[in-house]
Amino acid sequence: MTSFLDDTDRDLPHTRIDTSEVLDRMAVMRQQEEITYRCGDYLSMFHRKSKENNEVTHRTAVSRTSPTESCGYEKCDIDEECRVKMCEWCYQVVDFCKLRRETVEIAMSYLDRYLFSGVVLDSQPQKNITLEAFHDRKSFQLAAMTSLYIAIKLFEPVEMDVTALSRLSHGCYSASEIAEMECNIISVLGWRFHGPTSHSFVQHMVALLPSMQPNSDVLDFRISSPLVSTLLDCSIFQTELAIKDYFFVHQRSSTIAFSSIINALEGIEFEVFPSSERANFIEIISNVLNIDPRSPEILTVRVKLLEAFAEGSDEVISTDETSAQAASSTAAAVGSIHYDNEADETMSSMTDSPTSQPNRATATPASAAGGKSMAMDVDCDDSIDSSPICVASGNARACSL
């Protein structure tokens, strides 16, 4: 994943990087998201095509002409809530396995682009494969789980095989079904798995903060700096809230990141970050991204991010201290929004029959042969929902919410 910090340097307290390199990376990331990794409102597009298909079918019936071949838009069995539940399930898995939360954003981008391809592809075989996820919640859930599996394989220092994911689903999906879906996603996305995320955009933007050293042409990224920590935590917290909200599916990652940065700045005192340096900081980002911070698009996204925070205050995604501090910073920016730092109750509500059995997961070191990878052995009993939107019933799998 594009980031100004390498995976091996993410936890280092200091990382020095040239301003020009940060700007170059952001420009490339901006081009990538605009051309290669753009996603659209696939649910609305599907419903529109379904309506058009119904009208054609009706005209055919009235004129008594030969019926046209079905184009795959007969019904849509998924909605925004299905996506929310799968996103929450992904967060449950990465938190349980102590993986990076950015991995969920990566996984959801795979899922969204996979579904978006179903309504824009010209290739009928690939279109039929992708549209199945619209028709069947079981298939949609499998696509979401497999997207997370691919993201973990690519961006985490652990190894998870299809049998582990099958066990994680408590047998709802076989290893062969998961492997087949993985091939489908790879084929549809054309191996395009390294798109920029809003999380990575935020990291690059924070790297552009004015250096504390006068006349220095090198930016000093200090994780321990109160200013940097507050801005980074608050912004990333907002991007995490945006991941499960369908409204942001068709928004650019750079727009979400820039909006979260501006919102976070509202909670920082001018004595800490003077208005002149603040304006220069925003202008630099605006110029490299070619985005007007006063545009209707940015204003709309900023409001939606604050609304997402307001809703997330009573349904907190994370329990870690960093997110708690970020939430408090966002609350300060908004003013009247209250943050309740309680234990996570979101995940337990994802299933109709949650259990209270303890979680168990182990990550064993790589073999003596070397390498950074670790083998992940997932054994979570029933604490991680095996089927957030699909409920197994006997030999048949009945889908329900």
Side-chain angles (χ1 to χ4, degrees):
M1 184 57 56
T2 307
S3 175
F4 75 97
L5 289 177
D6 293 334
D7 288 341
T8 56
D9 296 333
R10 288 183 183 278
D11 297 327
L12 295 180
H14 299 83
T15 299
R16 302 179 69 87
I17 185 169
D18 290 336
T19 306
S20 58
E21 182 178 349
V22 178
L23 296 175
D24 288 344
R25 292 186 182 187
M26 289 179 64
V28 172
M29 291 162 61
R30 181 72 175 85
Q31 185 179 27
Q32 285 180 327
E33 69 169 356
E34 188 68 32
I35 300 175
T36 308
Y37 295 95
R38 193 68 191 272
C39 187
D41 183 359
Y42 50 83
L43 286 179
S44 296
M45 294 175 67
F46 184 95
H47 288 301
R48 183 172 64 253
K49 292 192 175 186
S50 177
K51 181 179 178 181
E52 294 172 354
N53 182 63
N54 291 337
E55 292 175 350
V56 171
T57 302
H58 176 72
R59 288 196 300 268
T60 300
V62 171
S63 61
R64 297 182 180 180
T65 58
S66 300
T68 57
E69 184 179 353
S70 171
C71 58
Y73 298 103
E74 293 78 13
K75 66 171 184 175
C76 183
D77 198 35
I78 62 172
D79 53 23
E80 296 180 18
E81 186 61 25
C82 291
R83 185 183 178 280
V84 168
K85 289 190 176 184
M86 289 313 304
C87 183
E88 291 174 341
W89 181 86
C90 290
Y91 271 119
Q92 184 184 18
V93 172
V94 299
D95 288 343
F96 176 81
C97 298
K98 294 178 171 38
L99 305 177
R100 294 189 302 115
R101 294 173 68 85
E102 185 185 5
T103 302
V104 175
E105 181 177 3
I106 298 171
M108 295 306 294
S109 73
Y110 295 166
L111 175 64
D112 291 330
R113 289 192 292 117
Y114 176 73
L115 296 172
F116 177 63
S117 298
V119 294
V120 298
L121 279 175
D122 295 325
S123 173
Q124 195 61 40
Q126 287 188 333
K127 179 188 289 288
N128 292 339
I129 292 173
T130 309
L131 290 179
E132 181 63 26
F134 287 90
H135 303 153
D136 181 16
R137 291 183 180 182
K138 171 178 171 289
S139 180
F140 170 80
Q141 181 174 266
L142 176 59
M145 290 181 172
T146 307
S147 295
L148 178 63
Y149 164 68
I150 296 173
I152 291 174
K153 285 211 307 183
L154 291 177
F155 297 101
E156 294 290 352
V158 296
E159 293 179 358
M160 173 187 280
D161 57 23
V162 290
T163 57
L165 188 61
S166 178
R167 291 199 305 272
L168 191 61
S169 72
H170 292 246
C172 188
Y173 302 102
S174 66
S176 60
E177 288 177 308
I178 296 170
E180 182 181 1
M181 177 58 74
E182 180 184 15
C183 291
N184 291 340
I185 294 176
I186 291 173
S187 175
V188 170
L189 298 187
W191 291 94
R192 293 181 175 90
F193 292 115
H194 293 74
T197 63
S198 56
H199 186 284
S200 61
F201 268 113
V202 165
Q203 287 186 309
H204 281 75
M205 292 176 188
V206 171
L208 292 172
L209 283 170
S211 174
M212 301 301 177
Q213 303 173 11
N215 303 321
S216 173
D217 59 351
V218 177
L219 297 179
D220 198 1
F221 185 79
R222 297 184 175 89
I223 296 295
S224 59
S225 166
L227 171 62
V228 173
S229 297
T230 299
L231 189 61
L232 184 63
D233 294 344
C234 183
S235 300
I236 288 179
F237 181 75
Q238 292 178 76
T239 63
E240 289 184 0
L241 290 174
I243 295 170
K244 75 171 189 175
D245 191 333
Y246 182 78
F247 169 82
F248 296 99
V249 165
H250 60 279
Q251 299 293 335
R252 301 176 183 87
S253 296
S254 59
T255 300
I256 297 173
F258 196 13
S259 299
S260 69
I261 287 284
I262 297 175
N263 282 346
L265 286 173
E266 295 294 330
I268 298 178
E269 298 293 336
F270 285 99
E271 291 78 7
V272 179
F273 195 4
S275 58
S276 57
E277 293 190 1
R278 185 180 309 216
N280 184 58
F281 172 59
I282 293 178
E283 183 180 3
I284 292 175
I285 298 175
S286 174
N287 290 337
V288 69
L289 297 180
N290 193 26
I291 301 177
D292 184 356
R294 295 171 295 276
S295 67
E297 180 184 17
I298 290 291
L299 295 176
T300 300
V301 171
R302 286 186 61 191
V303 170
K304 289 294 293 186
L305 286 172
L306 296 178
E307 290 176 352
F309 173 80
E311 296 174 0
S313 297
D314 297 325
E315 190 176 330
V316 182
I317 295 178
S318 173
T319 60
D320 58 63
E321 182 179 355
T322 299
S323 292
Q325 294 174 349
S328 299
S329 300
T330 306
V334 182
S336 60
I337 296 180
H338 172 68
Y339 175 69
D340 187 10
N341 185 19
E342 296 179 350
D344 182 14
E345 299 293 340
T346 303
M347 303 310 173
S348 62
S349 65
M350 289 161 53
T351 179
D352 294 331
S353 57
T355 67
S356 58
Q357 296 183 1
N359 295 343
R360 296 200 307 273
T362 59
T364 59
S367 63
K372 296 192 299 181
S373 298
M374 296 181 295
M376 180 185 294
D377 181 17
V378 180
D379 181 12
C380 55
D381 294 336
D382 294 323
S383 299
I384 293 181
D385 297 327
S386 62
S387 187
I389 62 175
C390 296
V391 181
S393 176
N395 294 328
R397 295 173 186 144
C399 297
S400 64
L401 284 176

